[in-house]
Every structure is written in structure tokens, then in C-alpha cells.
Amino acid sequence: MKISERQSVHGQWSSRWTFIMAATGAAVGLGNIWKFPYLTGQNGGSAFVLVYIVCVAALGIPLMMAEILLGRRGRSTPIRTMQVLAEETNTTQWWQIIGWSGTLAGMLILSYYSVIGGWTLAYIFKSIGGTFNGASGQFAADTFSAFTGSGTILFIWHTVFMVLTMGVVAGGVQGGLEKAVQFLMPTLFILLVLMVGYSMTTGFFGKGLAFLFTPDFSKLTGASMLSAMGQAFFSLSLGMGTIMIYGSYVPRDTSIASTSVAIALADTGVALLAGMAIFPIVFANNLEPGSGPGLIFQTLPVAFGNMTGGQAFGSLFFILLLIAAWTSSISLIEPLVTWLIETYGMTRIKASLYSGIFTWLLGLGTVWSFNRWAELTFLGLTFFDLLDFVTSNLMLPLGGILIALFVGWLMRADSTKAELNIHNPAIYAAWQALVRYIAPVAVFIVLLNAIGLL
Ligand code: TRP
């Protein structure tokens, strides 16, 4: 079959615009609004932000192009795509490891992502019920620790979030994904801008901006650089096959380069806006920037509780955050679900059910790592911390290196040229240099540096 006739059996986006919406929906999620601010706070602010932005531009965009390209050429699940493309390039089937590790990483990430998605759900109801009206920083912090301290409550919300996710996944690309991703992303963006507006009134906006943007390199350590790089991969959904599988549904006439740039800009824009909204509130209320995964759940309620119309606004905000988390969570499990369909001939519904139950079970480890198992640590990390570290900081960057090496060195230049369809030779050469040399070397250096070997 000619490559131009290859199509994914799992579906096709109805237009370039749907693909942008879907990929942006996958990229923009808890990673931007929950994780980016708390990591920034834990890693001392500006220097972390700078490394993150450099990683998005220099590694993220070229690797996203590489992943879409692989997906569109292979037109299948990440595992099968790598198998087909390894054959096509006459190289070893070991490259399938990209697909395997990615499929596994997606499931591991979803297991804890769903728990945090559950927090968002619970906070919708707390906001609607007026829990935060007039809240102080202390009150918000106490509410949060009482909430996460209950294994049973987290268990329930994790379960609800997982059911929501698998429900959409079971519906398939056209029925489920497309409809879900067309939702309300722009509204979330506007709400964030309004939150930044509120932060300007706290009197601590300048301090928040300085924290985010005045580089203080004394705060930069090997570990914080690794975490900034891991966050760039996480936030853009790179290195695990999400983008590859979404790429497999992309129509042939879509420009891969400009689409990748658009997705990266939107994603980074949302993360920076979230930071600008949250840190002024942190400083105005004497909260701790490095307080960890609870940061937005301890700061935003204080703002909502003390602004006019905050009850409605806060409820709306958490609803939109839920939707952002939802469009990301479906992308995390899509590689596993389609692989089960392809390999065992399951129906989409059955494949979703199995994947969902398994991931849900694994998620219980994260549920309990905030209460029952909080003291149970390995190398000082709880179950949740460990899972996050291994996936974001190791599996995604390593997956990214392998993708870069495969696309940069093994695929023939005429194939990559044909897929990317970049007319300007200088831009193609720059992309090639980035995936061949810069991305693999940079990821490697950051990893070695973080384990203290450099
Ligand atoms: N990028 C999403 C977020 O920021 C999460 C996500 C979706 C993801 N798909 C992924 C992370 C694939 C890593 C890999 O919330």
C-alpha cells in the first residue's frame, strides 16, 4: 500500500482544526495549572521557569514534530507504528521499545493523574457549596489536608474521574474524543486571564512576576534542571506516544511544523498565566510557594473566597480545570486501548473497561500515598512522588531521545522531508540538527547531571 493511502483503522480527525484542538486539549491540563506552579514553587521560581521555556523551544517543538511525523507515517498505535516503521527503514524491531515504554508510561501517569482529577471534581462541589466564602490561607490549607487525609474520600473521587475518562474513551475518536475536545478550552483561557487580573489587585503582582521571571541561577541544581525538562515533556505530552497516536489520525495536508509551534505556544501560555495568577496570591496570603502538590488547592480558594462573585467564579474555574484534565486523561490511555483492540480484537468498550480497571487499581497507590501510606517511602519518595519521578523525569525524556534518534538517524531524509513538507531548506536543516544532535545530547547531559555524574 502506498504511504499516502495509509489510514488508521482507529479513526481520522475531521480537519486540521480538530487535530489542533485535540492535541492542545491533550497538552493543556493539570500539568499546566496544577503541576507547573507547584514545581516552580518547589524549585525556587525563575531559573526553573527559564530552563523549562528553553526545553519547550529547543527540545519540545522539534520532538513534537518528530512524533507527529512518526504517527502520521505509521498510522497505527505507537507499538505497531514503530514495528511498521522499523521494517520500512530496515532496522531492528528493538525500536518497538518506544511504543512499549510509552504505552506503559501513559497508563502509569493516568493512574495518578486521575487522583488529582478527582481533587478537581471535589473542589467543584466545595466551591458550589460555598465552603470557601471568606476563607483565610489557614482555612484553605486545613481544608486541603483534611480532604487529602481521608483515603476514602480520595478513593471515591478517583473512581468518579476514572469512570468519566473511560466513558469518553469507550466512545472512540469521532464519537468521544472529537466532541470532548471541542469544549470550552478558550473559556478556560479567558478565565485564567481574569484570574491574572485579580492577582494584579492583590498588591503582590510585582513580587509574583519577579519570582517567576527574574532569573536567580543560584537556585538552579541538577535536580531542578531535570525536573524542568521532565515538566516540558509532561506538559507537551511528549515522549510516550500520545502525540504519535493523535498524529496517526491527522489528515495528510496538515502542516506538522506550524501545528507543533501553535500547540507549544498555547500550552506554555497557559502554564505561565497560571503561574502569574497563583504566585501573587501565594505572597499576598503568606503562603508557602514550595508547599507541593496542594499549592493551587490551597491558594485559589483563598482568592475565590474573598472576591466578589467568587463562589460562582471559583466553581466555573474548577469545572473548566476538570474539562482540561479530562481531555488530557483520555489521551494518556488511548495508546493502551487501541493496542488491546489491535492485538486481541477486543471491542473499544471492552478494551476501555480492562484498561480502566487496571489503571484505577494502580491509582489506589497514589490515593493512599497522601494518607494511609504517607510514611511509606522509597529513597524519600512516596508512591506518588516515585511514580511521577520515574515517568516524567526518566521515561518521557528517554522516550524522547529514542524518538529523536530514530527519526534523525534512521529514517531516510526523503521520508522525513516528505512528511514535514517544509519548503525552507534552512528550517529543515535546523530541525534535523535539533533531533539528531541537540535533543539527544541535551537530555543525556541533564540526566547525568542530575544523578551527579557531571
Ligand atoms: N500534558 C498533559 C497535562 O499537562 C498530561 C498528558 C496528557 C501527558 N498526555 C500525556 C503527559 C502524555 C505526558 C505524556 O496535563
Side-chain angles (χ1 to χ4, degrees), residues 212-243:
L212 286 170
F213 299 117
T214 314
D216 175 359
F217 291 103
S218 68
K219 299 254 171 64
L220 212 54
T221 61
S224 69
M225 278 176 74
L226 176 61
S227 136
M229 182 176 79
Q231 173 60 10
F233 278 87
F234 185 93
S235 194
L236 295 172
S237 312
L238 290 176
M240 66 134 284
T242 277
I243 294 294

PDB file of all heavy atoms in Angstrom, residues 212-243:
ATOM      1  N   LEU A 212       8.783  34.717  39.207  1.00  0.00           N
ATOM      2  CA  LEU A 212       8.719  33.877  38.012  1.00  0.00           C
ATOM      3  C   LEU A 212       9.774  34.216  36.967  1.00  0.00           C
ATOM      4  O   LEU A 212      10.244  33.344  36.243  1.00  0.00           O
ATOM      5  CB  LEU A 212       7.344  34.009  37.349  1.00  0.00           C
ATOM      6  CG  LEU A 212       6.170  33.325  38.020  1.00  0.00           C
ATOM      7  CD1 LEU A 212       4.864  33.753  37.370  1.00  0.00           C
ATOM      8  CD2 LEU A 212       6.328  31.813  37.906  1.00  0.00           C
ATOM      9  N   PHE A 213      10.092  35.514  36.876  1.00  0.00           N
ATOM     10  CA  PHE A 213      10.864  35.921  35.688  1.00  0.00           C
ATOM     11  C   PHE A 213      12.212  36.586  35.926  1.00  0.00           C
ATOM     12  O   PHE A 213      12.904  36.900  34.966  1.00  0.00           O
ATOM     13  CB  PHE A 213      10.007  36.820  34.799  1.00  0.00           C
ATOM     14  CG  PHE A 213       8.761  36.130  34.301  1.00  0.00           C
ATOM     15  CD1 PHE A 213       7.503  36.585  34.648  1.00  0.00           C
ATOM     16  CD2 PHE A 213       8.858  35.008  33.494  1.00  0.00           C
ATOM     17  CE1 PHE A 213       6.355  35.943  34.204  1.00  0.00           C
ATOM     18  CE2 PHE A 213       7.716  34.356  33.038  1.00  0.00           C
ATOM     19  CZ  PHE A 213       6.463  34.822  33.395  1.00  0.00           C
ATOM     20  N   THR A 214      12.611  36.870  37.180  1.00  0.00           N
ATOM     21  CA  THR A 214      13.954  37.450  37.363  1.00  0.00           C
ATOM     22  C   THR A 214      14.905  36.302  37.677  1.00  0.00           C
ATOM     23  O   THR A 214      14.910  35.789  38.791  1.00  0.00           O
ATOM     24  CB  THR A 214      13.974  38.432  38.548  1.00  0.00           C
ATOM     25  OG1 THR A 214      12.840  39.271  38.428  1.00  0.00           O
ATOM     26  CG2 THR A 214      15.248  39.243  38.569  1.00  0.00           C
ATOM     27  N   PRO A 215      15.689  35.885  36.671  1.00  0.00           N
ATOM     28  CA  PRO A 215      16.469  34.661  36.855  1.00  0.00           C
ATOM     29  C   PRO A 215      17.434  34.736  38.043  1.00  0.00           C
ATOM     30  O   PRO A 215      18.178  35.693  38.183  1.00  0.00           O
ATOM     31  CB  PRO A 215      17.252  34.527  35.553  1.00  0.00           C
ATOM     32  CG  PRO A 215      16.509  35.326  34.575  1.00  0.00           C
ATOM     33  CD  PRO A 215      15.866  36.447  35.332  1.00  0.00           C
ATOM     34  N   ASP A 216      17.366  33.723  38.876  1.00  0.00           N
ATOM     35  CA  ASP A 216      18.244  33.620  40.015  1.00  0.00           C
ATOM     36  C   ASP A 216      18.915  32.257  39.893  1.00  0.00           C
ATOM     37  O   ASP A 216      18.380  31.241  40.320  1.00  0.00           O
ATOM     38  CB  ASP A 216      17.393  33.704  41.298  1.00  0.00           C
ATOM     39  CG  ASP A 216      18.244  33.474  42.538  1.00  0.00           C
ATOM     40  OD1 ASP A 216      19.455  33.230  42.390  1.00  0.00           O
ATOM     41  OD2 ASP A 216      17.672  33.523  43.641  1.00  0.00           O
ATOM     42  N   PHE A 217      20.115  32.285  39.267  1.00  0.00           N
ATOM     43  CA  PHE A 217      20.725  31.000  38.924  1.00  0.00           C
ATOM     44  C   PHE A 217      21.272  30.256  40.122  1.00  0.00           C
ATOM     45  O   PHE A 217      21.622  29.090  40.036  1.00  0.00           O
ATOM     46  CB  PHE A 217      21.784  31.194  37.845  1.00  0.00           C
ATOM     47  CG  PHE A 217      21.158  31.573  36.533  1.00  0.00           C
ATOM     48  CD1 PHE A 217      21.190  32.888  36.077  1.00  0.00           C
ATOM     49  CD2 PHE A 217      20.501  30.617  35.777  1.00  0.00           C
ATOM     50  CE1 PHE A 217      20.576  33.237  34.887  1.00  0.00           C
ATOM     51  CE2 PHE A 217      19.889  30.965  34.582  1.00  0.00           C
ATOM     52  CZ  PHE A 217      19.921  32.275  34.134  1.00  0.00           C
ATOM     53  N   SER A 218      21.336  30.956  41.268  1.00  0.00           N
ATOM     54  CA  SER A 218      21.834  30.252  42.449  1.00  0.00           C
ATOM     55  C   SER A 218      20.867  29.147  42.854  1.00  0.00           C
ATOM     56  O   SER A 218      21.226  28.219  43.567  1.00  0.00           O
ATOM     57  CB  SER A 218      22.004  31.246  43.599  1.00  0.00           C
ATOM     58  OG  SER A 218      20.725  31.691  44.019  1.00  0.00           O
ATOM     59  N   LYS A 219      19.612  29.269  42.377  1.00  0.00           N
ATOM     60  CA  LYS A 219      18.613  28.268  42.766  1.00  0.00           C
ATOM     61  C   LYS A 219      18.649  27.036  41.872  1.00  0.00           C
ATOM     62  O   LYS A 219      17.907  26.087  42.077  1.00  0.00           O
ATOM     63  CB  LYS A 219      17.204  28.887  42.675  1.00  0.00           C
ATOM     64  CG  LYS A 219      17.007  30.075  43.602  1.00  0.00           C
ATOM     65  CD  LYS A 219      16.135  29.679  44.783  1.00  0.00           C
ATOM     66  CE  LYS A 219      16.077  30.757  45.858  1.00  0.00           C
ATOM     67  NZ  LYS A 219      15.454  31.999  45.386  1.00  0.00           N
ATOM     68  N   LEU A 220      19.496  27.093  40.821  1.00  0.00           N
ATOM     69  CA  LEU A 220      19.472  26.018  39.834  1.00  0.00           C
ATOM     70  C   LEU A 220      20.351  24.844  40.268  1.00  0.00           C
ATOM     71  O   LEU A 220      21.546  25.015  40.484  1.00  0.00           O
ATOM     72  CB  LEU A 220      19.970  26.580  38.502  1.00  0.00           C
ATOM     73  CG  LEU A 220      19.383  25.973  37.254  1.00  0.00           C
ATOM     74  CD1 LEU A 220      17.875  26.029  37.295  1.00  0.00           C
ATOM     75  CD2 LEU A 220      19.909  26.708  36.039  1.00  0.00           C
ATOM     76  N   THR A 221      19.758  23.668  40.404  1.00  0.00           N
ATOM     77  CA  THR A 221      20.559  22.490  40.732  1.00  0.00           C
ATOM     78  C   THR A 221      20.334  21.450  39.644  1.00  0.00           C
ATOM     79  O   THR A 221      19.446  21.612  38.805  1.00  0.00           O
ATOM     80  CB  THR A 221      20.082  21.860  42.057  1.00  0.00           C
ATOM     81  OG1 THR A 221      18.712  21.455  41.874  1.00  0.00           O
ATOM     82  CG2 THR A 221      20.151  22.848  43.206  1.00  0.00           C
ATOM     83  N   GLY A 222      21.126  20.394  39.663  1.00  0.00           N
ATOM     84  CA  GLY A 222      20.946  19.314  38.693  1.00  0.00           C
ATOM     85  C   GLY A 222      19.531  18.771  38.774  1.00  0.00           C
ATOM     86  O   GLY A 222      18.877  18.532  37.757  1.00  0.00           O
ATOM     87  N   ALA A 223      19.050  18.611  39.998  1.00  0.00           N
ATOM     88  CA  ALA A 223      17.722  18.035  40.170  1.00  0.00           C
ATOM     89  C   ALA A 223      16.648  18.976  39.635  1.00  0.00           C
ATOM     90  O   ALA A 223      15.678  18.535  39.016  1.00  0.00           O
ATOM     91  CB  ALA A 223      17.479  17.732  41.644  1.00  0.00           C
ATOM     92  N   SER A 224      16.810  20.283  39.849  1.00  0.00           N
ATOM     93  CA  SER A 224      15.756  21.181  39.378  1.00  0.00           C
ATOM     94  C   SER A 224      15.779  21.301  37.851  1.00  0.00           C
ATOM     95  O   SER A 224      14.738  21.478  37.222  1.00  0.00           O
ATOM     96  CB  SER A 224      15.834  22.551  40.066  1.00  0.00           C
ATOM     97  OG  SER A 224      16.955  23.263  39.657  1.00  0.00           O
ATOM     98  N   MET A 225      16.981  21.180  37.261  1.00  0.00           N
ATOM     99  CA  MET A 225      17.017  21.193  35.786  1.00  0.00           C
ATOM    100  C   MET A 225      16.313  19.964  35.227  1.00  0.00           C
ATOM    101  O   MET A 225      15.572  20.043  34.247  1.00  0.00           O
ATOM    102  CB  MET A 225      18.453  21.241  35.280  1.00  0.00           C
ATOM    103  CG  MET A 225      18.994  22.653  35.286  1.00  0.00           C
ATOM    104  SD  MET A 225      20.699  22.712  34.795  1.00  0.00           S
ATOM    105  CE  MET A 225      20.556  22.448  33.052  1.00  0.00           C
ATOM    106  N   LEU A 226      16.543  18.827  35.855  1.00  0.00           N
ATOM    107  CA  LEU A 226      15.887  17.599  35.383  1.00  0.00           C
ATOM    108  C   LEU A 226      14.376  17.745  35.508  1.00  0.00           C
ATOM    109  O   LEU A 226      13.619  17.364  34.617  1.00  0.00           O
ATOM    110  CB  LEU A 226      16.377  16.387  36.192  1.00  0.00           C
ATOM    111  CG  LEU A 226      15.687  15.059  35.838  1.00  0.00           C
ATOM    112  CD1 LEU A 226      15.925  14.692  34.376  1.00  0.00           C
ATOM    113  CD2 LEU A 226      16.177  13.927  36.740  1.00  0.00           C
ATOM    114  N   SER A 227      13.964  18.353  36.623  1.00  0.00           N
ATOM    115  CA  SER A 227      12.537  18.454  36.804  1.00  0.00           C
ATOM    116  C   SER A 227      11.917  19.454  35.820  1.00  0.00           C
ATOM    117  O   SER A 227      10.800  19.243  35.341  1.00  0.00           O
ATOM    118  CB  SER A 227      12.301  18.704  38.293  1.00  0.00           C
ATOM    119  OG  SER A 227      11.389  19.650  38.544  1.00  0.00           O
ATOM    120  N   ALA A 228      12.650  20.502  35.451  1.00  0.00           N
ATOM    121  CA  ALA A 228      12.151  21.442  34.432  1.00  0.00           C
ATOM    122  C   ALA A 228      12.045  20.748  33.074  1.00  0.00           C
ATOM    123  O   ALA A 228      11.067  20.935  32.329  1.00  0.00           O
ATOM    124  CB  ALA A 228      13.058  22.663  34.332  1.00  0.00           C
ATOM    125  N   MET A 229      13.050  19.930  32.768  1.00  0.00           N
ATOM    126  CA  MET A 229      13.000  19.231  31.486  1.00  0.00           C
ATOM    127  C   MET A 229      11.855  18.215  31.477  1.00  0.00           C
ATOM    128  O   MET A 229      11.094  18.115  30.510  1.00  0.00           O
ATOM    129  CB  MET A 229      14.324  18.528  31.215  1.00  0.00           C
ATOM    130  CG  MET A 229      14.349  17.827  29.889  1.00  0.00           C
ATOM    131  SD  MET A 229      15.935  17.092  29.536  1.00  0.00           S
ATOM    132  CE  MET A 229      15.841  15.610  30.518  1.00  0.00           C
ATOM    133  N   GLY A 230      11.737  17.475  32.574  1.00  0.00           N
ATOM    134  CA  GLY A 230      10.652  16.492  32.678  1.00  0.00           C
ATOM    135  C   GLY A 230       9.307  17.174  32.531  1.00  0.00           C
ATOM    136  O   GLY A 230       8.403  16.675  31.864  1.00  0.00           O
ATOM    137  N   GLN A 231       9.171  18.343  33.121  1.00  0.00           N
ATOM    138  CA  GLN A 231       7.915  19.080  33.051  1.00  0.00           C
ATOM    139  C   GLN A 231       7.619  19.530  31.619  1.00  0.00           C
ATOM    140  O   GLN A 231       6.470  19.541  31.192  1.00  0.00           O
ATOM    141  CB  GLN A 231       7.942  20.271  34.024  1.00  0.00           C
ATOM    142  CG  GLN A 231       6.757  21.224  33.935  1.00  0.00           C
ATOM    143  CD  GLN A 231       5.409  20.569  34.221  1.00  0.00           C
ATOM    144  OE1 GLN A 231       5.344  19.430  34.667  1.00  0.00           O
ATOM    145  NE2 GLN A 231       4.335  21.273  33.941  1.00  0.00           N
ATOM    146  N   ALA A 232       8.671  19.895  30.867  1.00  0.00           N
ATOM    147  CA  ALA A 232       8.443  20.287  29.473  1.00  0.00           C
ATOM    148  C   ALA A 232       7.865  19.101  28.691  1.00  0.00           C
ATOM    149  O   ALA A 232       6.907  19.255  27.925  1.00  0.00           O
ATOM    150  CB  ALA A 232       9.739  20.782  28.832  1.00  0.00           C
ATOM    151  N   PHE A 233       8.427  17.912  28.908  1.00  0.00           N
ATOM    152  CA  PHE A 233       7.892  16.722  28.233  1.00  0.00           C
ATOM    153  C   PHE A 233       6.463  16.438  28.690  1.00  0.00           C
ATOM    154  O   PHE A 233       5.575  16.164  27.890  1.00  0.00           O
ATOM    155  CB  PHE A 233       8.766  15.488  28.530  1.00  0.00           C
ATOM    156  CG  PHE A 233       9.981  15.406  27.666  1.00  0.00           C
ATOM    157  CD1 PHE A 233      11.149  16.041  28.023  1.00  0.00           C
ATOM    158  CD2 PHE A 233       9.949  14.694  26.479  1.00  0.00           C
ATOM    159  CE1 PHE A 233      12.276  15.972  27.213  1.00  0.00           C
ATOM    160  CE2 PHE A 233      11.063  14.621  25.662  1.00  0.00           C
ATOM    161  CZ  PHE A 233      12.229  15.259  26.035  1.00  0.00           C
ATOM    162  N   PHE A 234       6.273  16.501  29.999  1.00  0.00           N
ATOM    163  CA  PHE A 234       4.963  16.182  30.557  1.00  0.00           C
ATOM    164  C   PHE A 234       3.900  17.126  30.017  1.00  0.00           C
ATOM    165  O   PHE A 234       2.832  16.722  29.566  1.00  0.00           O
ATOM    166  CB  PHE A 234       5.027  16.275  32.089  1.00  0.00           C
ATOM    167  CG  PHE A 234       3.757  15.854  32.777  1.00  0.00           C
ATOM    168  CD1 PHE A 234       3.588  14.550  33.213  1.00  0.00           C
ATOM    169  CD2 PHE A 234       2.725  16.757  32.983  1.00  0.00           C
ATOM    170  CE1 PHE A 234       2.418  14.153  33.849  1.00  0.00           C
ATOM    171  CE2 PHE A 234       1.547  16.376  33.608  1.00  0.00           C
ATOM    172  CZ  PHE A 234       1.389  15.067  34.043  1.00  0.00           C
ATOM    173  N   SER A 235       4.220  18.417  30.070  1.00  0.00           N
ATOM    174  CA  SER A 235       3.218  19.404  29.706  1.00  0.00           C
ATOM    175  C   SER A 235       2.857  19.327  28.226  1.00  0.00           C
ATOM    176  O   SER A 235       1.703  19.523  27.848  1.00  0.00           O
ATOM    177  CB  SER A 235       3.730  20.801  30.067  1.00  0.00           C
ATOM    178  OG  SER A 235       2.674  21.705  30.021  1.00  0.00           O
ATOM    179  N   LEU A 236       3.842  19.034  27.384  1.00  0.00           N
ATOM    180  CA  LEU A 236       3.549  18.941  25.949  1.00  0.00           C
ATOM    181  C   LEU A 236       3.055  17.541  25.561  1.00  0.00           C
ATOM    182  O   LEU A 236       2.782  17.278  24.403  1.00  0.00           O
ATOM    183  CB  LEU A 236       4.790  19.287  25.132  1.00  0.00           C
ATOM    184  CG  LEU A 236       5.283  20.738  25.264  1.00  0.00           C
ATOM    185  CD1 LEU A 236       6.625  20.909  24.565  1.00  0.00           C
ATOM    186  CD2 LEU A 236       4.267  21.704  24.673  1.00  0.00           C
ATOM    187  N   SER A 237       2.969  16.651  26.543  1.00  0.00           N
ATOM    188  CA  SER A 237       2.553  15.258  26.297  1.00  0.00           C
ATOM    189  C   SER A 237       3.511  14.508  25.387  1.00  0.00           C
ATOM    190  O   SER A 237       3.087  13.690  24.568  1.00  0.00           O
ATOM    191  CB  SER A 237       1.157  15.175  25.660  1.00  0.00           C
ATOM    192  OG  SER A 237       0.249  15.976  26.339  1.00  0.00           O
ATOM    193  N   LEU A 238       4.805  14.767  25.534  1.00  0.00           N
ATOM    194  CA  LEU A 238       5.766  14.157  24.618  1.00  0.00           C
ATOM    195  C   LEU A 238       6.433  12.927  25.207  1.00  0.00           C
ATOM    196  O   LEU A 238       6.464  12.749  26.411  1.00  0.00           O
ATOM    197  CB  LEU A 238       6.877  15.161  24.298  1.00  0.00           C
ATOM    198  CG  LEU A 238       6.444  16.336  23.438  1.00  0.00           C
ATOM    199  CD1 LEU A 238       7.603  17.297  23.266  1.00  0.00           C
ATOM    200  CD2 LEU A 238       5.976  15.830  22.078  1.00  0.00           C
ATOM    201  N   GLY A 239       6.974  12.111  24.323  1.00  0.00           N
ATOM    202  CA  GLY A 239       7.838  11.018  24.737  1.00  0.00           C
ATOM    203  C   GLY A 239       7.109   9.733  25.086  1.00  0.00           C
ATOM    204  O   GLY A 239       7.731   8.787  25.545  1.00  0.00           O
ATOM    205  N   MET A 240       5.805   9.684  24.923  1.00  0.00           N
ATOM    206  CA  MET A 240       5.112   8.453  25.276  1.00  0.00           C
ATOM    207  C   MET A 240       4.098   7.954  24.253  1.00  0.00           C
ATOM    208  O   MET A 240       3.486   6.923  24.463  1.00  0.00           O
ATOM    209  CB  MET A 240       4.444   8.564  26.629  1.00  0.00           C
ATOM    210  CG  MET A 240       3.332   9.559  26.650  1.00  0.00           C
ATOM    211  SD  MET A 240       1.823   9.006  27.452  1.00  0.00           S
ATOM    212  CE  MET A 240       1.142   7.933  26.241  1.00  0.00           C
ATOM    213  N   GLY A 241       3.930   8.684  23.153  1.00  0.00           N
ATOM    214  CA  GLY A 241       3.052   8.137  22.132  1.00  0.00           C
ATOM    215  C   GLY A 241       1.676   8.792  22.033  1.00  0.00           C
ATOM    216  O   GLY A 241       0.929   8.502  21.121  1.00  0.00           O
ATOM    217  N   THR A 242       1.344   9.671  22.995  1.00  0.00           N
ATOM    218  CA  THR A 242       0.076  10.401  22.871  1.00  0.00           C
ATOM    219  C   THR A 242       0.050  11.176  21.561  1.00  0.00           C
ATOM    220  O   THR A 242      -0.902  11.094  20.778  1.00  0.00           O
ATOM    221  CB  THR A 242      -0.086  11.417  24.026  1.00  0.00           C
ATOM    222  OG1 THR A 242      -0.588  10.747  25.174  1.00  0.00           O
ATOM    223  CG2 THR A 242      -1.083  12.505  23.672  1.00  0.00           C
ATOM    224  N   ILE A 243       1.126  11.914  21.354  1.00  0.00           N
ATOM    225  CA  ILE A 243       1.170  12.757  20.171  1.00  0.00           C
ATOM    226  C   ILE A 243       1.318  11.889  18.919  1.00  0.00           C
ATOM    227  O   ILE A 243       0.793  12.210  17.852  1.00  0.00           O
ATOM    228  CB  ILE A 243       2.318  13.780  20.307  1.00  0.00           C
ATOM    229  CG1 ILE A 243       2.009  14.748  21.463  1.00  0.00           C
ATOM    230  CG2 ILE A 243       2.565  14.537  19.029  1.00  0.00           C
ATOM    231  CD1 ILE A 243       0.813  15.651  21.230  1.00  0.00           C
TER     232      ILE A 243
END
